[in-house]
Amino acid sequence: MPIAPDCISTGHLPAPDQVRALVDEAHTRFGPCAEGRNADYIPALAAVPSHLFGICLAGTSGQVYEVGDTGHAFTIQSISKPFVFALICQSIGEDEARRKLGVNSTGLPFNSVIAVERSGDGLTNPMVNAGAIATSSLAPGASAEDKWRFIRDGLSRFAGRALEIDAAVYASEMSANQRNEGIARLLNAYDSIYFDPIEATDIYTRQCSLRVTSRDLAVMAATLANGGINPLTRESVIDPIHCQHVLAVMVTAGLYENSGDWLYDTGLPGKSGVSGGLIVVAPGKGGLATFAPPLDAAGNSVKGQLTARFLSERLGLNLFASRPVSA
């Protein structure tokens, strides 16, 4: 049964001047942090300057606040996962997507093979590599090119502009893609992948190699926060019902084995990528995106997490925060 619009709690961001000041403060406060290191298992990512740091927040009303290296292009990597999952939910329905992919957290690293075997049926969730490859395999189309076109065009609609592949990063990832191909073959043994496993892995690798900026990611996150409507183009990308299911999976698995700590600290759905990007979705309010390449041991941007915690508290974004009602 659809939820009546007046029964949805959304709230709003603080006044624009306050938001702008806090975004600037976060950049100043966390810019000097020297913790973490670039991902090095993909050679092209290891070469990205580690000092780069951008913060962008896009409100559902269309206002954008940004500071730092928000125009620097990098590859979307695993941040593509929730958006492709959203597109598949829109295509085949959220119930069928859950049946074919699973939605439970694995509690294990993003590229774990054990998670597939331990599940018993090969199902994990769309935020880890196994589930994400299976998600990409469900894209409509009879050929790999048809499926790729559906994914690229859908992600571009989320961003509000045409996204293109970074050929160098794609080649770099393909040269080191044996683990993902092995995961896809294992899924095939469980009948939990829905296209040729090697071609599905290639489609997934292409989606991870799309070039975005922090501003693009903020707009994409804000689209999930805005019931599936891009706040800048005003295009309806997905139906509102799919946003809530995507955000639910992001809450449980968006930062992999650290998702519990993340939720404890921020109270928000988030998703990280090994290129240094990170998104946060505040339903009804907006989307936050950061870019800072140095990662922690779990593959999550160090500065991005610090920024998200700070702004979640200062902007009143935490979904679990409340104040007592006075008598």
Side-chain angles (χ1 to χ4, degrees):
M1 177 182 296
I3 301 172
D6 57 356
C7 294
I8 298 174
S9 175
T10 55
H12 54 81
L13 291 172
D17 288 348
Q18 183 180 355
V19 176
R20 188 173 296 107
L22 286 168
V23 168
D24 290 346
E25 182 181 346
H27 192 266
T28 301
R29 180 184 292 245
F30 302 119
C33 176
E35 296 177 23
R37 56 183 294 181
N38 287 31
D40 56 11
Y41 64 93
I42 300 172
L45 300 185
V48 176
S50 60
H51 69 273
L52 293 169
F53 183 31
I55 303 172
C56 186
L57 191 154
T60 53
S61 62
Q63 290 180 300
V64 176
Y65 311 87
E66 54 188 309
V67 62
D69 301 303
T70 57
H72 181 86
F74 55 96
T75 48
I76 191 170
Q77 299 298 333
S78 287
I79 299 177
S80 63
K81 292 172 180 175
F83 299 102
V84 176
F85 178 47
L87 294 169
I88 297 307
C89 286
Q90 182 75 19
S91 175
I92 68 175
E94 67 272 14
D95 292 335
E96 183 71 356
R98 175 164 63 175
R99 188 183 72 80
K100 288 181 175 291
L101 300 170
V103 295
N104 287 320
S105 175
T106 68
L108 294 169
F110 65 91
N111 59 353
S112 173
V113 175
I114 295 173
V116 177
E117 296 179 321
R118 195 172 69 178
S119 71
D121 54 11
L123 301 184
T124 52
N125 67 73
M127 300 301 120
V128 298
N129 286 15
I133 295 169
T135 302
S136 299
S137 78
L138 283 169
S143 69
E145 286 306 312
D146 289 340
K147 291 176 180 290
W148 165 239
R149 191 176 304 110
F150 171 84
I151 291 173
R152 182 195 60 203
D153 291 351
L155 293 178
S156 296
R157 292 168 66 208
F158 269 110
R161 71 178 186 91
L163 302 179
E164 301 293 338
I165 281 183
D166 185 315
V169 173
Y170 170 67
S172 185
E173 293 203 38
M174 287 300 292
S175 70
N177 223 14
Q178 293 85 357
R179 187 177 185 89
N180 280 338
E181 290 177 350
I183 288 172
R185 288 191 175 98
L186 181 59
L187 291 174
N188 196 44
Y190 283 96
D191 294 324
S192 294
I193 195 168
Y194 310 100
F195 193 59
D196 177 83
I198 301 305
E199 289 190 275
T201 305
D202 178 70
I203 295 167
Y204 167 72
T205 306
R206 281 194 260 179
Q207 84 184 39
C208 289
S209 302
L210 285 170
R211 289 167 61 87
V212 293
T213 65
S214 304
R215 183 185 175 96
D216 291 330
L217 290 182
V219 172
M220 295 173 79
T223 302
L224 289 179
N226 195 37
I229 296 177
N230 185 304
L232 299 188
T233 66
R234 307 310 301 174
E235 178 185 6
S236 178
V237 182
I238 59 170
D239 295 336
I241 187 65
H242 304 310
C243 293
Q244 69 186 59
H245 291 119
V246 170
L247 296 181
V249 181
M250 287 173 66
V251 162
T252 58
L255 273 79
Y256 311 121
E257 66 268 37
N258 286 1
S259 294
D261 285 329
W262 163 265
L263 191 61
Y264 196 92
D265 289 335
T266 68
L268 290 166
K271 186 71 196 80
S272 62
V274 295
S275 57
L278 186 145
I279 63 167
V280 180
V281 180
K285 296 180 181 180
L288 170 68
T290 63
F291 171 61
L295 312 176
D296 65 14
N300 304 314
S301 172
V302 175
K303 292 180 184 177
Q305 292 176 85
L306 292 171
T307 299
R309 292 172 192 149
F310 175 79
L311 291 178
S312 175
E313 178 183 348
R314 299 299 181 89
L315 293 174
L317 305 180
N318 192 313
L319 293 174
F320 308 121
S322 60
R323 293 189 180 93
V325 177
S326 58

